[in-house]
Amino acid sequence: MDYVYGPGKNHLFVPGPVNIPDQVIRAMNRNNEDYRSPAIPALTKNLLEDVKKIFKTTTGTPFLFPTTGTGAWESALTNTLSPGDRIVSFLIGQFSLLWIDQQQRLNFNVDVVESEWGRGADLDVLESKIASDRSHSIKAICIVHNETATGVTNNMAKVRQILDEYRHPALFLVDGVSSICALDFRMDEWGVDVALTGSQKALSLPTGIGIVCASPKALEAAKSSRSVRVFFDWADYLKYYKLGTCWPYTPSIHLLYGLRAALDLIFEEGLENVLERHKRLGKATRLAVEAWGLKNCTQKEEWYSDTVTAILVPPHIDSAEVVRRGWKRYNLSLGLGLNKVAGKAFRIGHLGHLNELQLLGCLAGVEMILRDVGYPVELGSGVAAASAYLRNVTPMIPSRI
Amino acid sequence: MDYVYGPGKNHLFVPGPVNIPDQVIRAMNRNNEDYRSPAIPALTKNLLEDVKKIFKTTTGTPFLFPTTGTGAWESALTNTLSPGDRIVSFLIGQFSLLWIDQQQRLNFNVDVVESEWGRGADLDVLESKIASDRSHSIKAICIVHNETATGVTNNMAKVRQILDEYRHPALFLVDGVSSICALDFRMDEWGVDVALTGSQKALSLPTGIGIVCASPKALEAAKSSRSVRVFFDWADYLKYYKLGTCWPYTPSIHLLYGLRAALDLIFEEGLENVLERHKRLGKATRLAVEAWGLKNCTQKEEWYSDTVTAILVPPHIDSAEVVRRGWKRYNLSLGLGLNKVAGKAFRIGHLGHLNELQLLGCLAGVEMILRDVGYPVELGSGVAAASAYLRNVTPMIPSRI
Amino acid sequence: MDYVYGPGKNHLFVPGPVNIPDQVIRAMNRNNEDYRSPAIPALTKNLLEDVKKIFKTTTGTPFLFPTTGTGAWESALTNTLSPGDRIVSFLIGQFSLLWIDQQQRLNFNVDVVESEWGRGADLDVLESKIASDRSHSIKAICIVHNETATGVTNNMAKVRQILDEYRHPALFLVDGVSSICALDFRMDEWGVDVALTGSQKALSLPTGIGIVCASPKALEAAKSSRSVRVFFDWADYLKYYKLGTCWPYTPSIHLLYGLRAALDLIFEEGLENVLERHKRLGKATRLAVEAWGLKNCTQKEEWYSDTVTAILVPPHIDSAEVVRRGWKRYNLSLGLGLNKVAGKAFRIGHLGHLNELQLLGCLAGVEMILRDVGYPVELGSGVAAASAYLRNVTPMIPSRI
Amino acid sequence: MDYVYGPGKNHLFVPGPVNIPDQVIRAMNRNNEDYRSPAIPALTKNLLEDVKKIFKTTTGTPFLFPTTGTGAWESALTNTLSPGDRIVSFLIGQFSLLWIDQQQRLNFNVDVVESEWGRGADLDVLESKIASDRSHSIKAICIVHNETATGVTNNMAKVRQILDEYRHPALFLVDGVSSICALDFRMDEWGVDVALTGSQKALSLPTGIGIVCASPKALEAAKSSRSVRVFFDWADYLKYYKLGTCWPYTPSIHLLYGLRAALDLIFEEGLENVLERHKRLGKATRLAVEAWGLKNCTQKEEWYSDTVTAILVPPHIDSAEVVRRGWKRYNLSLGLGLNKVAGKAFRIGHLGHLNELQLLGCLAGVEMILRDVGYPVELGSGVAAASAYLRNVTPMIPSRI
């Protein structure tokens, strides 16, 4: 069942799927059950309440689609928009590219604002478009909170500020796949209309739930959206929420139990502590990169991502070889550079259920690999820089004091 | 984590999700991993080859969508048909009803052939429609092989025969959700163009994979289909099959490992033996129903289903109460009567990973419940009828002889 | 990893090891951890407190030896007695025989009181021995509460009554392996000095913990016992209890977590309800045996066991063949007849995590097997007798009302 | 169920219990089963054959006692020796001390050869004792191969050489608890008479199997040994081996399946590769200790252990505080200094299922802790020293090339 056995733990540092806590693995270790018994709706209702906390919303309505992030995208778009609708969308890396491709194939009129990969969404362009759109032809702004391919975090508060300044009614749709539950995400405060994430990211579950959260305004828009949809239709869910049975079709029962355990762990740690931990690990990674003398693919500090760091390698090195050697020699899984940065960057995912020593083990591995592929890094230098920082900011584990 | 603890095993006899073999639960008991490493494509390629065996196809192309049966339906339809296309669809129970609802919402021109619930698809009407459709306005026949709500199995060979007789080129789309891997399903022999099932049915996995298998003719049709689709688009899968990485987006890794284990068990038992076992358990159930003096919801023997039996209760009894008492008192999960047969029928699912004594325990439980709700069944009568049959036809377990 | 795969669940009806609840399997599904961290002593202390409840003692001191029931026996004997000590021990079946063998090999002077297999311990003989032992040469009474080989439950209250009547100071050592947590066991009320059980019996865990519980009098006796012992020595445990680290050597961490989960389930169901459930299942089994026209190996009702029923087959039938066929054909595991009753009896274990429909499935299986081996049982007769009783006494599941 | 939750993985670096491979956790994730069915003896026989390979014996007879290392000690001694027998035993640390304590309590005449903690067994003293023992009053040599408390590996070949040189017939009993399957152990070549280990050490299982392997000479000695034993008696096992049912009492079925999976992984990696990996990790650890400017508790290179390193801290530092902070702040489990080296040393266990990056993460953690407790280590220095070595000696993972 394991074609590629290597001794010891696999060091999983792709920016998703991420490490699953043992508690969550245990919770999912079970037989199927009848989802029409009273147990599953009871479980579901609690989950729907609790999942709102990680979006920081009290007014949003969440949907737990048995799908992936790609499906969650489709649900966000087709429920709120109609074919031909003009949307402004930002192309800054592979995942925003894929979302835009989906938007185009769904027949929206996509106004693409492109930035160099490694830069954030160009919000000045957004502002000028919004400012000039007196007729409100722009129906939605679609933006990734965190571009997983380049490690770029966009400024969501700024988007809201622009919309507010010009009193523009465009819907605000956010891909939070590699941000929600790891970066500070404030759905209500930012007036996000649809936010979404996938279970295999910061929630640290297997793939299989696409969580979509809709604002009241988004729910209202859904009533008149003319995009064709059935599987991803919110209306069916809302109908079953009302009936109290919650599910228009069979849910992923295992993932529901897993989500329950995942949320329990997040709340036990404290959501703000989880976010702090991600900041800490992100900063530590960047300090290591700096110590190695390598460049962060992200061009400015304001866009630095606390969930994934894309690292540029010198031109004579193939970044894919870094990833390959990690896997073949050290049982380390790093993220490939994708598309425009293929061969040029590799990525360290530092999101989800992860702690300091896991990261330091990864950094030590990257150092050895860099030497293996001919980059003259000083061994221990990145680990030293990261740990000098970490040892001052890592808190005691509350349950153990 | 368990709101509704009851002592002993839960007796799961809904017609899906069904009991998961321990071997499969074990196989899924694992951490996430990088799906871009060579391991996952290697695993996937083997699965794609092996999964064809349960469809009995060598020419089909399978897709393992991270979705449910409802998503698999949508994938089958949107990849092969265009809005406005005329399709003939058979309404014979709740699941065919839901599929028709989807077909209509996807803007096909659905020619609904309705039968009384408890009867099979009216293939005489099909024949007359096909016969009279000289212009080939009918683009597809959509039919459930096995209607889960009423326990009715339709005659797929007959559908093919009709199409062949009139040399009609309509696509032949089959919902095999509660049949494939339990009933004899012959995709190639029957000339089925798209067949589909869900992981939580006879494959005995958790919910989360919608398996769709397309004939060469269906793949050809997909090239010109104008239905909007992205998540469910075969083209993206085909592109990544060619690239060798297999996945256009993150797969459900756990379910892939689970599917591997599930197929291994099915092949170890022997697919034909698995089908025989389902015949045996179906027949035994029907013998019990007869002994109880109750009516099978399925009106004729030719439609009897070997995966689920819907049982009609006398008018003064509420079938939902049968289900409720099973769950509340005996830790037994039976299937509710749905929609038109709500309150009138309850269902025993006898598909997937199940054996004779499990079924007899269920039958003994149903007998007690029937007495509880006021039906004067003779205790032991159904068990006696079923076991008189089973003891003559149950084979020795090959590995134990 | 599974040499003997058969479809569907294994029906486990040996009188131990018994079915493990899914919740317990989950709790044990984990990595190792450092047993010297504060976590394990904290867990252990709670377990030591809670485990007393299943012995119904407040004054006893429990020990969780990483061993089996055989080891627990050895611990009970070597800590309280010295070589040459006279003990009265009752031979009524295979397990009392094995314990007596151990007692003899440990060099005690064993005064064996033998009964026909199928009868209980002869307490009249005990009384006469106690009555005549004015010099108090008898140092201990050793008795199995429930003889697993014959399904005989001895009267513990009566033993205490005899000792009290004659003010005899003999220690009262009880093998509760197949009774504690299933039959009503009252350590304090009965003045039991050492009681013991194994994790794989009514506690429904894997094998690996021998639980021994010592009265203050037993602890006192341990101070002067001259039997050689190290691994099984209570003194080491008591020393580490005092130190607060609890363990003189590495414990079975997985089983401790499993025990925690097992006790949680028992307390959730309610210990008295657990005992009631065992009474119910025992009675139902005996009603089936009667309906089949077979004889219970246990000769009188006063000795009937609610955890295991040994069933005599007619002389022309080999009871081992009953067991073999169960396993080979129906995935049913029954208990063999042992030693004197080998070939003559087979056993149904009905203890631990088990419910009504599981038992009825087993009984239906036994009926088919009996026919297979040539006994003309009326199919359904035992199930009918059992379910006629069960349906009147099985309570609603509290969490589901 | 987890009193002390901390985010991310626990970094388990105590010298046992050690990390369990996921494959082994999966293999043990199962219900109980009947150990008298043909399946368990079949499994057991394979295990008994295969387990000999890790002892490097073809002539030895293994026993898989459901016990711990302490029980395995007791089994080794009581089966081969009689009360009053003179044995030579070496006191070099906490675990040899505990074994000697057991030997004395079992009433052997123990000739203790003590060394300073941190030094190996004094084999010169052994030689002189053997040389002068013309009457062969010494019945056995008892020695730990690897003293877990101080990280000292004794020279087994030398012991055999001494015995051979003087043609001394003493039995040669070896505690291989923290060596077998990690250090090169050659039972046949060294003429070891009884070797033993515990499942939670290099085999990377939970606690619960004490594996004892006896040479033909030891089996012969067992026939005349007058030590009292029942649970630990080899004779009962040999009897059931002959009968083919293998078990005199209930085995730990879960651990048998776990052992099967553990051995499969070891053989897949290759036993010699496993030993090389331990050498590599041991050396890397020592290089880090040196870089930190700290002293290895082990005084000479010839005794360096490749499974555990005990590290001395400067007098002003409490080594227990190092361990405490690791657990409280970094989710790192290190070994305490025990008894004579309590407060003076802490230990890094580097045995079992472990790889390079796991170790480097641990070393990075130790560096931060050392700074936390006031030792002015240069951060990154140990990691650098270890990784400079590791990157040259770590092989590609065979299955991934």
Side-chain angles (χ1 to χ4, degrees), chain D residues 8 135 153 169 211 276 310:
Chain D
S135 66
T153 304
I211 309 181
E276 277 306 311

Side-chain angles (χ1 to χ4, degrees), chain A residues 103-131:
Chain A
Q103 291 155 12
Q104 291 168 334
R105 288 160 70 185
L106 291 172
N107 295 324
F108 304 119
N109 172 14
V110 191
D111 194 343
V112 177
V113 181
E114 190 163 0
S115 300
E116 195 186 341
W117 289 32
R119 298 181 60 83
D122 193 331
L123 301 186
D124 291 341
V125 174
L126 175 67
E127 180 157 12
S128 73
K129 283 181 190 282
I130 291 293

Side-chain angles (χ1 to χ4, degrees), chain A residues 2-11 20 22-23 26 29 265 268-269 277 325 327-332 353-358 360-362 364-365 368 371-372 379-380 383-384 387-388 390-397 399-401, chain D residues 2-11 20 22-23 26 29 265 268-269 277 325 327-332 353-358 360-362 364-365 368 371-372 379-380 383-384 387-388 390-397 399-401:
Chain A
D2 293 282
Y3 305 110
V4 290
Y5 174 64
K9 291 279 165 194
N10 173 249
H11 300 267
I20 307 175
D22 292 349
Q23 292 88 340
R26 274 199 285 284
N29 183 48
L265 290 180
E268 179 172 347
E269 185 177 355
R277 180 163 50 79
R325 288 189 83 88
W327 193 68
K328 285 189 177 179
R329 198 172 189 192
Y330 300 111
N331 212 346
L332 171 63
H353 191 252
L354 199 70
N355 62 27
E356 291 74 18
L357 300 201
Q358 286 175 280
L360 291 172
C362 167
M368 293 195 290
R371 283 287 275 270
D372 286 358
L379 293 174
V383 171
S387 58
L390 287 172
R391 94 167 191 81
N392 286 317
V393 296
T394 303
M396 292 289 170
I397 298 170
S399 64
R400 300 188 184 177
I401 298 176
Chain D
D2 294 281
Y3 304 109
V4 289
Y5 174 65
K9 291 279 166 194
N10 173 249
H11 301 267
I20 307 175
D22 292 349
Q23 292 88 341
R26 274 199 284 283
N29 183 49
L265 290 181
E268 179 172 348
E269 185 176 355
R277 180 162 52 78
R325 288 189 83 88
W327 194 68
K328 286 189 176 179
R329 198 172 189 192
Y330 300 111
N331 212 347
L332 170 63
H353 191 253
L354 199 69
N355 62 27
E356 290 73 18
L357 300 201
Q358 286 175 281
L360 292 172
C362 167
M368 293 194 291
R371 284 286 276 270
D372 285 359
L379 293 174
V383 170
S387 57
L390 286 172
R391 93 168 192 82
N392 285 317
V393 297
T394 302
M396 291 290 170
I397 298 171
S399 64
R400 298 188 184 176
I401 298 175

Side-chain angles (χ1 to χ4, degrees), chain B residues 4-5 7-9 11 22-23 29 268 327-329 331 353 355 358 372 379 384 391 394 397 399-400, chain C residues 4-5 7-9 11 22 29 268 327-329 331 353 355 358 372 379 384 391 394 397 399-400:
Chain B
V4 289
Y5 174 65
K9 292 279 167 195
H11 301 266
D22 292 349
Q23 292 88 339
N29 183 48
E268 180 172 346
W327 193 69
K328 286 189 176 180
R329 196 170 191 195
N331 211 347
H353 191 253
N355 61 28
Q358 287 176 280
D372 285 359
L379 293 173
R391 94 168 191 80
T394 303
I397 298 171
S399 64
R400 300 189 183 176
Chain C
V4 290
Y5 174 64
K9 292 279 166 194
H11 301 266
D22 293 348
N29 182 48
E268 179 172 348
W327 193 69
K328 286 189 176 180
R329 196 171 191 194
N331 211 347
H353 190 253
N355 61 28
Q358 286 175 282
D372 286 358
L379 293 174
R391 92 167 193 80
T394 303
I397 299 171
S399 63
R400 300 188 183 176

Side-chain angles (χ1 to χ4, degrees), chain C residues 7-172:
Chain C
K9 292 279 166 194
N10 173 250
H11 301 266
L12 184 60
F13 285 88
V14 296
V18 305
N19 294 290
I20 308 175
D22 293 348
Q23 293 87 341
V24 173
I25 290 177
R26 275 199 284 284
M28 296 187 300
N29 182 48
R30 59 173 66 230
N31 195 11
N32 275 323
E33 61 183 85
D34 177 19
Y35 75 97
R36 295 181 197 265
S37 90
I40 297 300
L43 171 61
T44 305
K45 281 168 199 167
N46 282 338
L47 289 174
L48 292 172
E49 255 339 286
D50 281 349
V51 92
K52 289 198 264 181
K53 297 174 190 166
I54 64 165
F55 287 85
K56 293 192 179 169
T57 182
T58 58
T59 60
T61 299
F63 305 97
L64 304 172
F65 283 98
T67 188
T68 70
T70 302
W73 279 347
E74 191 156 328
S75 180
L77 296 168
T78 57
N79 278 281
T80 54
L81 298 166
S82 299
D85 275 357
R86 180 182 173 202
I87 60 184
V88 177
S89 207
F90 299 87
L91 199 176
I92 64 167
Q94 179 64 8
F95 292 94
S96 42
L97 174 70
L98 289 170
W99 198 17
I100 287 166
D101 172 64
Q102 186 186 67
Q103 291 155 13
Q104 290 167 334
R105 288 160 69 185
L106 292 172
N107 296 323
F108 304 118
N109 174 12
V110 191
D111 195 342
V112 178
V113 181
E114 190 164 0
S115 300
E116 195 186 342
W117 289 32
R119 297 183 59 85
D122 191 333
L123 300 185
D124 291 341
V125 174
L126 175 65
E127 179 156 14
S128 75
K129 283 181 191 282
I130 290 294
S132 62
D133 182 38
R134 305 252 162 75
S135 66
H136 295 170
S137 72
I138 299 170
K139 296 304 177 204
I141 312 300
C142 293
I143 189 165
V144 297
H145 184 197
N146 188 77
E147 169 57 62
T148 319
T150 54
V152 162
T153 303
N154 287 313
N155 187 338
M156 296 297 99
K158 179 75 188 164
V159 174
R160 169 48 55 202
Q161 192 189 315
I162 293 168
L163 289 172
D164 282 356
E165 196 173 327
Y166 298 93
R167 305 194 181 194
H168 198 287
L171 290 164
F172 182 13

Side-chain angles (χ1 to χ4, degrees), chain B residues 38 67 76 85 104 120 163 244 250 255 278 307:
Chain B
T67 188
D85 276 358
Q104 291 168 332
L163 290 172
T250 320
L255 289 173
H278 281 85
T307 57

